[in-house]
Amino acid sequence: MIKTDISDLHKDIDNYKDKEIIIAGWVKSCRGNGNFGFLNLNDGTSFKGVQIVFSRDKILNYDSVEKLNTGSAIMCKGYIVLTPENKQPFEINATEITIISATDNEYPLQKKKHSLEFLREIAYLRPRTNLFNAVFRVRSELAFLLHEFFNKKGFVYVHTPIITSSDCEGGSELFRVTTQNIYDEFKKFEPKNELFGKKTYLTPTGQLEGEACAAAFGKIYTFGPTFRAENSNTNRHLNEFWHLEPEVSFMDLEGLMELEEEMMKYIISGIMKKCPDEMNFFNTFVDKELFNRLNNVIDNDFARITYTEAIELLKKNNNNFVYPVEWGTDIQTEHERYLSEVIFKRPVFVTDYPKDMKAFYMKINDDNKTVRGCDLLFPGIGEVTGGSERETDYKKLQTIMKEKHLKEEDYWWYMNLRKFGSVQHSGFGLGFERILMYITGITNIRDVILFPRTPNNCEY
Amino acid sequence: MIKTDISDLHKDIDNYKDKEIIIAGWVKSCRGNGNFGFLNLNDGTSFKGVQIVFSRDKILNYDSVEKLNTGSAIMCKGYIVLTPENKQPFEINATEITIISATDNEYPLQKKKHSLEFLREIAYLRPRTNLFNAVFRVRSELAFLLHEFFNKKGFVYVHTPIITSSDCEGGSELFRVTTQNIYDEFKKFEPKNELFGKKTYLTPTGQLEGEACAAAFGKIYTFGPTFRAENSNTNRHLNEFWHLEPEVSFMDLEGLMELEEEMMKYIISGIMKKCPDEMNFFNTFVDKELFNRLNNVIDNDFARITYTEAIELLKKNNNNFVYPVEWGTDIQTEHERYLSEVIFKRPVFVTDYPKDMKAFYMKINDDNKTVRGCDLLFPGIGEVTGGSERETDYKKLQTIMKEKHLKEEDYWWYMNLRKFGSVQHSGFGLGFERILMYITGITNIRDVILFPRTPNNCEY
């Protein structure tokens, strides 16, 4: 007889009615009265566990089972009994329980509720708790939904490099990669002695390589880890995070915004459908406004407004902002939320920012003051994606790079793309952990990635 | 009127019969006789391009179009004409051709065939060639098939960390990560001055963290970049490569081999179905034995043999090996291929290797000499995956770690997994580029990854 996954029981319990099965998993809780007990078991295949009923007259090791601690591993043979009148629609009447390994009081996860701070200290165990089980199961399904969305649309998934020699953000916030024994020797280290024979870094973005690929495949996306060495200890920053970066040839900013809106609706409605138990858990125990916020995204057309128009609207409320705005100032989180929550009450794209506020690669508008960028703002969180049409004109790119003190030779191949069949193209970036926070209601980014990397924190 | 993807034309051309459409893309080739010409266009959405027929009496800029170089970008308005009697089942009669950007002779990709070595020098352009277009399109679909396979089976996709403080392979072949200005200062660098406050590395594997996750979710897989700093300049080694690592709780070695066999058949038959044009191209122009080899994998049950049995069989052929074998020697590529190609003529799992040859985490057999590992050997290539049941006994793991001179404190959390609900579990690793080589027939691993990282080679 083969072990049945608990997920299979939940999927189609009628199929198992009165049948004998074997399950195996870890004890969530166990209590008994000396003759008769209940054991809640989870094998990780489903957010929901199962209730096992065990009694002294049916199993040989009743006393050992009754004493089982949270986290112990068991195998159980038993019969499925449907209990439509109860909270759980079925339970298992145990005929045999084998204790695979019993935990003792040293086991850090007990039945009681633990703080998120405590659980962060034991990142290798926290996926066993209900909350993190739900978070990381949603993370997995969300990743799949993104792959599915872009695959269906004919996008090519490209793996851009992690180790890079492009110092494309000035180097100050990049991790360096080295093969030299930097802590063991007292000497001047030379790039020429590296395995790669040069300075290398951990990439902060796959966009530039992604643009090269979009010039070959038309529609591409990257999805992988990227890195920022910044010393920011906030609830919203990680030094290592997963990044989605689609890039599409022959697409203007309008097309890009349509693509983003379609993707957001696809993944959010998809996750509500694929993970109902996990999402209900979040809506009940993490944030009671969650479903309202998510439905707001699914049900509404996203608004669109230019930066210039947004500033006009925001200025009327300058008295109430910590940072009053005028044309040329950054739109900060308080303004983003005011726009999306108070003015539009739905997601809103802000477009055409002053060129000084944005990266060199954004397409310059005819006014020579603004660029064809778009940030997507969500009620409740602010910016979730940043995108733009890219500058495709070689000369204009040269000019802006000079203005921004970037060296052309560092970007030789990127510049060449503007010589070799250059076409209109656009792309955006989505921080995967940021959208996961939005979808789960979790407010600390450390709690949506398995092993977070933040300043002074790199366990495992 | 909206641009139509060329892939949509190929999918359902009857739907477009006699209709006017707009397409846009890059010129593969263009020739004319002064009045009448043919232009082959590809927009990257499909391996196959389309033929555009243009003539002086229909378009205004005939002379400019006729002179277009490979790699130029155009937009074309025209009518679909079905041509069932020709090689191409349809062509486009141009009514308007807009030149978006014309390349000149500086463009490195001309109509002639380029060597793979030359193309490696222009990695940012090579995806535009037929061969690399096919390779990277297959790479994308293969990644999706892997996600699909594991998602359907209820595996949780986990993102294990890239930057790690676990020096789990002794450090000699790991890249170090630093935030210090190691080339600019002459001093002793201290780990405590790093952003993370300690020594950190680029991970060579997600397995250990994967095991922690399998103890929570039951069935997990990782898929992401991993790193080896080894100075190996061969056709089969990369310093940065993508790695699939599934891990399953309550699974023994037999179950693991079944899972691997099922996965291999799923992805190989899947890719034949999803990428017929690309696969035909490989079978015609790269390796005429390709389909035979792939069908051999799909159509046969994989054989299974222990290391000890394999050595007995191999010894009979010792005269013909460069490296004769005996019990305790490594099984090298020549032996792997002899086993899979001559003896079994199909994929074969070799199991239960001497413990000294394998990693510390493999489950030790009762003979205390061999471990429950399995390598999967494919005809034509040799080893494609390595897996094992994992040692779950705390004491046995302590003993083998001592034998292998590993420090227990470096693995404290991994050891703890053996205290906290330890259960039988198994997993394997698949080098994504290795299986891509097998599936495409490409013989240099640098040609199945977009921007390869090898010693002295880290462009882009």
Side-chain angles (χ1 to χ4, degrees):
Chain A
M1 199 151 74
I2 286 173
K3 167 185 176 287
T4 301
D5 284 349
I6 291 175
S7 58
D8 288 333
L9 299 181
H10 286 296
K11 247 177 252 158
D12 184 16
I13 190 61
D14 291 335
N15 187 33
Y16 292 93
K17 187 185 165 190
D18 302 330
K19 281 190 188 151
E20 192 179 29
I21 55 148
I22 289 178
I23 57 173
W26 295 274
V27 175
K28 300 290 281 187
S29 65
C30 184
R31 63 196 154 85
N33 65 7
N35 285 307
F36 186 81
F38 297 98
L39 187 158
N40 198 288
L41 195 75
N42 194 305
D43 67 359
T45 62
S46 164
F47 179 67
K48 287 189 284 194
V50 295
Q51 174 153 286
I52 295 169
V53 184
F54 61 99
S55 59
R56 189 177 287 282
D57 62 347
K58 291 222 185 85
I59 64 168
L60 297 171
N61 52 348
Y62 180 89
D63 291 322
S64 310
V65 171
E66 195 188 74
K67 275 182 275 180
L68 281 173
N69 244 316
T70 299
S72 299
I74 66 158
M75 188 158 75
C76 169
K77 196 185 264 190
Y79 287 89
I80 299 283
V81 182
L82 299 195
T83 52
E85 70 287 352
N86 293 1
K87 205 175 71 178
Q88 293 105 338
F90 67 95
E91 56 190 27
I92 293 168
N93 260 339
T95 52
E96 197 181 318
I97 291 180
T98 310
I99 298 172
I100 299 172
S101 61
T103 56
D104 55 23
N105 289 331
E106 209 194 324
Y107 186 60
L109 296 170
Q110 295 303 324
K111 233 175 11 180
K112 63 165 187 161
K113 201 165 182 275
H114 298 286
S115 74
L116 293 176
E117 291 73 21
F118 170 75
L119 292 171
R120 255 172 245 145
E121 301 285 307
I122 48 168
Y124 74 115
L125 297 176
R126 66 179 179 166
R128 303 178 183 196
T129 64
N130 282 341
L131 175 67
F132 287 100
N133 186 301
V135 167
F136 294 120
R137 194 175 298 282
V138 163
R139 184 178 171 116
S140 170
E141 291 294 351
L142 197 69
F144 189 74
L145 284 164
L146 284 171
H147 283 301
E148 192 178 65
F149 176 80
F150 287 106
N151 186 273
K152 272 188 195 166
K153 288 194 161 290
F155 282 59
V156 172
Y157 177 30
V158 300
H159 294 131
T160 49
I162 306 301
I163 303 177
T164 179
S165 58
S166 300
D167 171 13
C168 59
E169 304 208 342
S172 59
E173 300 210 325
L174 299 185
F175 288 101
R176 290 166 194 275
V177 176
T178 176
T179 47
Q180 301 192 63
N181 287 326
I182 53 172
Y183 308 119
D184 303 338
E185 295 176 72
F186 187 95
K187 68 169 189 184
K188 184 99 169 66
F189 295 97
E190 303 284 351
K192 68 173 161 50
N193 295 327
E194 296 291 348
L195 181 69
F196 294 123
K198 58 166 78 169
K199 294 186 189 181
T200 55
Y201 310 89
L202 293 181
T203 193
T205 168
Q207 180 195 316
L208 305 194
E209 291 87 355
E211 286 186 51
C213 295
F217 304 115
K219 305 184 277 193
I220 66 97
Y221 70 104
T222 71
F223 183 58
T226 53
F227 305 85
R228 305 254 162 102
E230 59 192 336
N231 194 354
S232 298
N233 237 323
T234 81
N235 281 354
R236 288 171 55 81
H237 288 89
L238 290 169
N239 294 119
E240 173 178 329
F241 63 100
W242 279 64
H243 209 155
L244 174 89
E245 295 180 288
E247 191 75 35
V248 190
S249 289
F250 308 105
M251 179 174 272
D252 62 11
L253 197 71
E254 307 300 319
L256 188 74
M257 291 190 283
E258 275 168 39
L259 178 69
E260 288 191 47
E261 181 167 346
E262 189 185 345
M263 180 198 80
M264 285 296 182
K265 289 177 171 169
Y266 185 88
I267 63 174
I268 293 178
S269 59
I271 208 75
M272 306 267 270
K273 227 173 283 160
K274 284 192 88 170
C275 300
D277 298 327
E278 290 85 347
M279 295 304 291
N280 274 320
F281 179 84
F282 296 136
N283 194 59
T284 310
F285 295 107
V286 176
D287 181 351
K288 293 201 192 316
E289 281 304 303
L290 183 64
F291 283 174
N292 288 340
R293 268 209 321 275
L294 297 180
N295 285 326
N296 177 282
V297 173
I298 299 172
D299 296 338
N300 286 298
D301 289 338
F302 294 7
R304 298 180 189 188
I305 186 175
T306 67
Y307 169 88
T308 304
E309 293 161 347
I311 291 293
E312 285 311 307
L313 291 174
L314 290 169
K315 267 159 87 173
K316 295 181 190 152
N317 193 47
N318 259 346
N319 289 342
N320 300 314
F321 291 135
V322 180
Y323 302 99
V325 298
E326 57 181 311
W327 202 95
T329 58
D330 254 338
I331 296 191
Q332 308 215 23
T333 303
E334 61 174 334
H335 315 126
E336 290 173 348
R337 295 189 60 170
Y338 186 79
L339 282 171
S340 58
E341 289 165 30
V342 180
I343 297 184
F344 287 102
K345 297 183 179 61
R346 55 190 167 119
V348 53
F349 286 106
V350 179
T351 66
D352 302 284
Y353 287 81
K355 67 177 176 180
D356 296 339
M357 288 167 53
K358 292 289 183 185
F360 74 97
Y361 47 71
M362 295 196 182
K363 185 183 174 67
I364 295 161
N365 283 318
D366 291 338
D367 62 15
N368 201 30
K369 280 177 12 194
T370 58
V371 289
R372 289 251 73 193
C374 62
D375 285 356
L376 175 57
L377 317 182
F378 270 10
I381 186 170
E383 185 192 336
V384 289
T385 70
S388 77
E389 208 177 308
R390 316 308 190 184
E391 184 54 73
T392 54
D393 183 275
Y394 193 90
K395 290 254 157 66
K396 287 187 189 165
L397 201 54
Q398 272 185 322
T399 307
I400 190 83
M401 285 174 74
K402 235 171 249 164
E403 282 178 32
K404 290 188 184 281
H405 310 292
L406 298 168
K407 279 186 257 170
E408 217 181 301
E409 59 266 34
D410 290 346
Y411 298 81
W412 64 270
W413 61 270
Y414 186 76
M415 299 294 289
N416 275 354
L417 295 175
R418 276 66 190 165
K419 283 190 201 165
F420 301 149
S422 185
V423 303
Q424 186 178 47
H425 62 290
S426 302
F428 68 92
L430 169 70
F432 188 54
E433 285 78 15
R434 293 274 177 92
I435 192 68
L436 259 169
M437 288 168 77
Y438 192 76
I439 286 176
T440 58
I442 299 281
T443 54
N444 191 320
I445 201 165
R446 291 167 183 80
D447 297 333
V448 295
I449 189 165
L450 277 160
F451 300 97
R453 273 74 181 97
T454 54
N456 284 311
N457 180 25
C458 186
E459 281 297 323
Y460 312 98
Chain B
M1 198 153 71
I2 286 174
K3 169 187 174 286
T4 301
D5 284 349
I6 290 176
S7 57
D8 288 333
L9 299 181
H10 286 297
K11 247 177 251 158
D12 184 16
I13 190 60
D14 290 335
N15 187 35
Y16 293 93
K17 189 184 164 191
D18 301 329
K19 284 194 184 143
E20 191 179 30
I21 55 149
I22 289 179
I23 56 172
W26 296 273
V27 174
K28 300 291 284 185
S29 65
C30 183
R31 66 198 153 84
N33 65 7
N35 285 308
F36 186 82
F38 297 98
L39 187 157
N40 197 287
L41 194 75
N42 195 305
D43 66 359
T45 62
S46 162
F47 179 67
K48 287 189 285 194
V50 294
Q51 175 154 283
I52 294 169
V53 184
F54 60 98
S55 60
R56 188 177 290 279
D57 63 348
K58 293 227 185 81
I59 64 169
L60 297 171
N61 52 348
Y62 179 91
D63 290 324
S64 310
V65 171
E66 194 187 78
K67 278 183 276 183
L68 282 174
N69 246 317
T70 299
S72 300
I74 65 158
M75 190 159 74
C76 169
K77 198 185 262 192
Y79 287 89
I80 297 285
V81 182
L82 299 196
T83 53
E85 69 286 354
N86 294 0
K87 210 175 71 181
Q88 293 104 335
F90 67 95
E91 57 190 28
I92 292 167
N93 262 340
T95 52
E96 194 182 321
I97 291 181
T98 310
I99 299 173
I100 300 173
S101 62
T103 57
D104 56 22
N105 289 330
E106 209 196 323
Y107 187 59
L109 294 170
Q110 296 302 324
K111 230 175 16 182
K112 64 166 190 162
K113 201 168 182 277
H114 299 286
S115 74
L116 294 176
E117 291 74 19
F118 170 76
L119 292 171
R120 253 171 247 144
E121 302 285 307
I122 47 167
Y124 74 114
L125 297 176
R126 67 178 179 168
R128 303 177 183 199
T129 64
N130 283 340
L131 176 66
F132 287 100
N133 186 300
V135 166
F136 295 120
R137 195 176 298 283
V138 163
R139 185 179 170 115
S140 170
E141 291 293 352
L142 198 68
F144 188 74
L145 284 163
L146 285 171
H147 283 301
E148 191 178 65
F149 177 79
F150 287 107
N151 187 272
K152 272 187 195 166
K153 287 191 161 295
F155 282 60
V156 172
Y157 177 29
V158 300
H159 293 132
T160 50
I162 305 300
I163 303 177
T164 178
S165 57
S166 301
D167 172 12
C168 58
E169 302 207 344
S172 59
E173 301 210 325
L174 299 187
F175 289 102
R176 290 165 195 275
V177 176
T178 176
T179 47
Q180 302 192 62
N181 286 327
I182 53 173
Y183 308 120
D184 304 337
E185 295 176 71
F186 187 96
K187 70 169 189 182
K188 184 96 171 62
F189 294 98
E190 303 284 351
K192 68 173 162 48
N193 296 327
E194 296 291 350
L195 181 67
F196 295 124
K198 57 165 80 170
K199 294 186 188 182
T200 55
Y201 310 90
L202 292 181
T203 193
T205 169
Q207 179 196 317
L208 305 195
E209 290 88 355
E211 287 187 51
C213 295
F217 305 114
K219 306 186 277 194
I220 66 97
Y221 69 106
T222 71
F223 183 57
T226 53
F227 305 85
R228 305 254 161 101
E230 60 192 334
N231 195 354
S232 297
N233 237 323
T234 80
N235 281 352
R236 289 171 53 79
H237 287 89
L238 290 169
N239 295 119
E240 174 178 329
F241 63 100
W242 279 64
H243 208 155
L244 173 89
E245 296 181 286
E247 192 76 34
V248 191
S249 289
F250 307 106
M251 179 174 272
D252 62 11
L253 196 71
E254 307 299 320
L256 188 74
M257 291 189 284
E258 276 167 39
L259 178 70
E260 286 192 47
E261 181 167 346
E262 190 185 345
M263 179 198 79
M264 285 296 181
K265 289 177 172 169
Y266 185 88
I267 62 173
I268 293 178
S269 60
I271 207 77
M272 308 268 270
K273 228 171 286 161
K274 286 193 89 169
C275 300
D277 298 326
E278 292 84 346
M279 295 305 292
N280 274 320
F281 180 84
F282 296 136
N283 194 58
T284 310
F285 296 107
V286 177
D287 181 350
K288 294 203 190 313
E289 281 304 303
L290 184 63
F291 284 175
N292 288 339
R293 268 209 322 275
L294 297 180
N295 285 324
N296 177 283
V297 173
I298 298 172
D299 297 338
N300 286 297
D301 289 337
F302 294 7
R304 297 180 189 188
I305 187 176
T306 67
Y307 168 89
T308 304
E309 293 162 347
I311 291 294
E312 284 312 307
L313 291 174
L314 290 167
K315 267 160 88 173
K316 295 182 188 153
N317 192 47
N318 258 348
N319 289 341
N320 299 315
F321 291 133
V322 180
Y323 301 99
V325 297
E326 59 180 310
W327 202 95
T329 59
D330 255 338
I331 295 189
Q332 308 214 22
T333 304
E334 61 172 335
H335 315 125
E336 290 174 348
R337 296 189 58 169
Y338 186 80
L339 282 171
S340 58
E341 289 165 30
V342 180
I343 296 183
F344 288 102
K345 298 182 178 62
R346 57 190 165 118
V348 52
F349 285 106
V350 179
T351 66
D352 302 284
Y353 287 82
K355 67 177 177 181
D356 295 341
M357 289 167 53
K358 291 290 181 185
F360 75 96
Y361 48 70
M362 295 195 182
K363 186 184 172 66
I364 296 161
N365 283 317
D366 292 339
D367 63 13
N368 201 29
K369 280 175 17 193
T370 58
V371 289
R372 290 252 71 193
C374 63
D375 285 356
L376 174 57
L377 316 181
F378 271 10
I381 187 170
E383 184 191 336
V384 288
T385 69
S388 76
E389 207 177 307
R390 315 307 190 185
E391 184 55 73
T392 53
D393 184 275
Y394 192 91
K395 289 255 156 64
K396 286 185 189 167
L397 199 56
Q398 273 186 320
T399 306
I400 190 83
M401 286 176 73
K402 235 171 246 163
E403 282 178 34
K404 291 190 184 279
H405 309 293
L406 298 169
K407 277 187 260 172
E408 215 180 303
E409 58 267 33
D410 291 344
Y411 297 83
W412 65 270
W413 60 270
Y414 186 75
M415 298 295 288
N416 274 355
L417 295 175
R418 275 67 190 163
K419 281 190 199 163
F420 300 149
S422 184
V423 303
Q424 186 178 49
H425 63 289
S426 301
F428 68 93
L430 169 70
F432 187 55
E433 285 79 16
R434 293 276 177 89
I435 192 69
L436 259 168
M437 291 168 75
Y438 192 76
I439 284 176
T440 57
I442 300 282
T443 54
N444 192 322
I445 199 164
R446 289 167 185 78
D447 297 333
V448 295
I449 189 165
L450 277 160
F451 300 97
R453 273 74 182 97
T454 53
N456 285 311
N457 179 27
C458 186
E459 281 297 322
Y460 311 98

